[in-house]
Amino acid sequence: MAMKGYLDEYEKLVIRMNTPRVVIDNGVCSSATIVKVDSARRNGILLEAVQILTDLNLSIKKAYISSDGRWNMDVFHVTDLNGNKLNDQSVLRYIEQSIEKVYYGENIEVNGLTALELTGTDRIGLLSEMFAVLSDLNCDVVDAKLWTHNGRVASVIYLRDCSSGSPILDSQRVSKIEGRLKNVLNGDNDVNSAAKTCVSVDSMMHIERRLHQLMFEDRDYEKRSKTQERSPMVVVTVQNWAERGYSVVNVHCRDRTKLLFDVVCTLTDMEYAVFHATINTADDQAHLEFYIRHKDGSPISSEAERQRVIQCLEAAVERRALEGVRLELKHPDKQGLLAEVTRTFRENGLNVTRTEISTSGDMATNIFYVTDANGDEPESKLIESVREKIGLECLRVKEMPTVNHKKGDGEEQQQTKAVLVSLGSLVWRNLFNFGLIKSCS
């Protein structure tokens, strides 16, 4: 008994030593709330901290990531989407408590639902056919997210039985759902792009991270037509810093919400560890710089690997790029609602590029990003016609969510910031060379 008590106390000490320590400061910076996280090095802990901040729809204006030996020191400058500091004490407490809990490996769990994962070839009307099949099979869609990119589609859908409200457990019924949906996704009969479906109960994976993984596994970053050029809105460079054994990754693109999460998620899932990083935003632009290594401590070792990292990070940024018109549907939930709405989209030539489905009580709140058949923004007359058919009060055109940057930086200040950002690599290297930052070798 004495030995068991001793071990319990030792375990408590280990937990206290390794649990992230969070300090939130609203006084140091006039334009943002500072969130400081000190933690023992562990693969994925940076992603978990960023995930908590972005799940609250917070904007990360700047960030400084550094590793000293076996310890992480991360600093985030965050605001709400309106560019204001965080003053809600309940939000501040939630941030502190949630980041401290990531030591225990806690995840978001969707209870009492069946998780359905899908990947396949995208086409106009696909979402309508998927929801029609689920409605016909007496499945109620409670929550879902769908992304499209480079002609591919990935979706995570949470279902329950329409009649009982229970998760779908019968193996024969599950097989029938998978088979019907696979037929829909394989509508083009392209053997090289065969659809994949997977059904599980009580999935605990973070839904947006899972979408990145599904797209990555489906190799959407390679699905480019011969005439399609890389997006001029995303510039990714990768270089090796041989003296210190790092690969230096730079990402420059338009700033938006959840950008840092998307990039860190991809690096983590590609099994790279981030040792140091700086993130800066100005106006509507973002510059992210990462010093990375493989889990085994080695940098990127070949030109093929370097090109793959560039392609994957470009895809990570592009997957959540806003395309078309953002429509928000608020409607009392009922069986077949999604099938009806998406059928109306299809019949009027609208293509759904992204979807966010959620249900709270008896009310469904669904967001659709739609384009015309050519991938361009639909004409306003077409959107109004669709709204009239579905219900003007139920379906509304919503402005795209943007990152708010405080005004007041003159042109000269912006040029100065651009120069400072471009010197990021040089500054880090000088800090290392003069011993102000220790190597993690």
Side-chain angles (χ1 to χ4, degrees):
M1 294 295 294
M3 178 61 70
K4 182 180 185 300
Y6 171 79
L7 291 176
D8 288 343
E9 290 303 314
Y10 178 76
E11 183 177 354
K12 292 177 183 178
L13 175 62
V14 171
I15 291 175
R16 285 197 297 270
M17 291 176 61
N18 289 278
T19 299
R21 290 191 285 274
V22 182
V23 176
I24 300 178
D25 195 325
N26 254 329
V28 172
C29 180
S30 61
S31 59
T33 298
I34 309 299
V35 179
K36 304 176 184 178
V37 183
D38 292 339
S39 61
R41 274 201 64 81
R42 177 171 63 81
N43 185 50
I45 196 167
L46 171 61
L47 173 60
E48 291 165 337
V50 172
Q51 176 181 302
I52 289 167
L53 296 174
T54 55
D55 280 350
L56 290 170
N57 285 324
L58 301 180
S59 174
I60 300 175
K61 301 294 187 181
K62 296 177 185 289
Y64 307 95
I65 313 301
S66 183
S67 299
D68 186 2
R70 295 182 179 274
W71 202 254
N72 279 355
M73 295 164 284
D74 306 333
V75 180
F76 304 95
H77 294 228
V78 301
T79 68
D80 61 21
L81 292 183
N82 294 319
N84 301 316
K85 296 170 67 172
L86 311 181
N87 294 310
D88 189 327
Q89 292 300 314
S90 64
V91 172
L92 299 179
R93 284 194 299 272
Y94 178 83
I95 293 172
E96 182 176 347
Q97 294 171 2
S98 298
I99 293 178
E100 289 178 349
K101 286 180 181 178
V102 300
Y103 171 78
Y104 300 96
E106 296 188 6
N107 292 293
I108 300 173
E109 181 175 1
V110 181
N111 292 310
L113 300 173
T114 297
L116 174 64
E117 298 177 353
L118 307 168
T119 56
T121 303
D122 186 32
R123 67 175 187 278
I124 295 178
L126 174 62
L127 191 62
S128 172
E129 296 177 36
M130 288 168 49
F131 286 143
V133 166
L134 291 173
S135 178
D136 184 58
L137 294 173
N138 203 37
C139 298
D140 180 25
V141 177
V142 180
D143 287 277
K145 287 194 177 183
L146 176 143
W147 291 354
T148 63
H149 179 247
N150 276 349
R152 308 300 296 166
V153 60
S155 181
V156 178
I157 303 173
Y158 291 101
L159 306 170
R160 64 188 174 196
D161 180 78
C162 284
S163 303
S164 65
S166 303
I168 300 169
L169 303 174
D170 181 77
S171 59
Q172 291 185 344
R173 188 177 177 192
V174 167
S175 297
K176 186 175 182 180
I177 293 171
E178 287 187 288
R180 290 277 299 274
L181 287 172
K182 189 172 291 187
N183 288 336
V184 170
L185 288 163
N186 276 333
D188 58 358
N189 295 317
D190 184 356
V191 177
N192 295 321
S193 59
K196 295 181 181 179
T197 62
C198 177
V199 176
S200 62
V201 178
D202 291 337
S203 174
M204 296 179 64
M205 173 61 72
H206 184 269
I207 188 169
E208 293 184 347
R209 182 175 185 189
R210 187 58 186 149
L211 284 171
H212 276 300
Q213 291 176 340
L214 290 172
M215 283 289 198
F216 177 74
E217 292 166 3
D218 195 44
R219 306 175 74 90
D220 72 309
Y221 54 89
E222 293 182 347
K223 303 295 192 294
R224 299 177 184 272
S225 65
K226 294 182 180 179
T227 58
Q228 185 178 14
E229 297 180 356
R230 287 181 175 175
S231 171
M233 302 302 294
V234 185
V235 178
V236 181
T237 62
V238 178
Q239 296 177 323
N240 274 357
W241 184 13
E243 295 85 2
R244 294 290 180 178
Y246 289 107
S247 293
V248 185
V249 176
N250 281 274
V251 180
H252 185 83
C253 61
R254 186 174 181 177
D255 191 24
R256 60 167 173 77
T257 58
K258 302 191 178 183
L259 174 63
L260 181 59
F261 169 81
D262 294 338
V263 175
V264 174
C265 182
T266 300
L267 289 173
T268 302
D269 288 335
M270 294 181 73
E271 299 190 340
Y272 293 106
V274 176
F275 287 85
H276 304 280
T278 57
I279 287 81
N280 287 282
T281 63
D283 288 340
D284 64 345
Q285 297 297 304
H287 184 91
L288 302 85
E289 184 174 63
F290 302 89
Y291 289 72
I292 65 171
R293 291 174 180 160
H294 285 287
K295 284 184 177 180
D296 63 6
S298 63
I300 292 172
S301 59
S302 69
E303 177 61 20
E305 183 185 1
R306 190 179 76 88
Q307 290 298 327
R308 185 167 179 262
V309 170
I310 291 174
Q311 285 184 328
C312 290
L313 291 179
E314 286 178 343
V317 174
E318 292 169 356
R319 285 172 196 148
R320 209 194 291 265
L322 303 178
E323 296 183 26
V325 175
R326 185 174 189 255
L327 301 176
E328 182 175 298
L329 174 73
K330 287 191 175 182
H331 193 284
D333 192 27
K334 65 175 183 177
Q335 184 176 357
L337 173 64
L338 290 170
E340 293 176 12
V341 172
T342 52
R343 183 178 66 247
T344 303
F345 290 161
R346 182 191 65 195
E347 291 172 348
N348 287 271
L350 293 180
N351 184 39
V352 180
T353 60
R354 274 180 52 211
T355 309
E356 299 176 13
I357 308 297
S358 62
T359 306
S360 179
D362 296 328
M363 183 62 65
T365 301
N366 307 325
I367 297 173
F368 305 94
Y369 296 85
V370 299
T371 67
D372 63 17
N374 297 319
D376 300 321
E377 185 170 312
E379 295 183 359
S380 58
K381 290 191 294 185
L382 176 58
I383 294 296
E384 289 306 305
S385 174
V386 171
R387 289 186 61 218
E388 289 177 1
K389 294 173 181 177
I390 295 175
L392 292 174
E393 294 301 317
C394 297
L395 186 65
R396 297 178 181 271
V397 178
K398 307 294 287 187
E399 291 184 3
M400 299 292 193
T402 58
V403 178
N404 186 290
H405 292 273
K406 294 292 186 181
K407 297 181 180 179
D409 289 326
E411 181 178 353
E412 182 177 346
Q413 288 176 301
Q414 294 304 322
Q415 291 175 349
T416 302
K417 287 182 179 180
V419 171
L420 291 174
V421 168
S422 66
L423 292 175
S425 297
L426 179 60
V427 171
W428 272 109
R429 295 184 189 191
N430 285 337
L431 289 173
F432 273 115
N433 291 335
F434 284 104
L436 298 179
I437 295 179
K438 298 179 181 179
S439 173
C440 300
S441 302

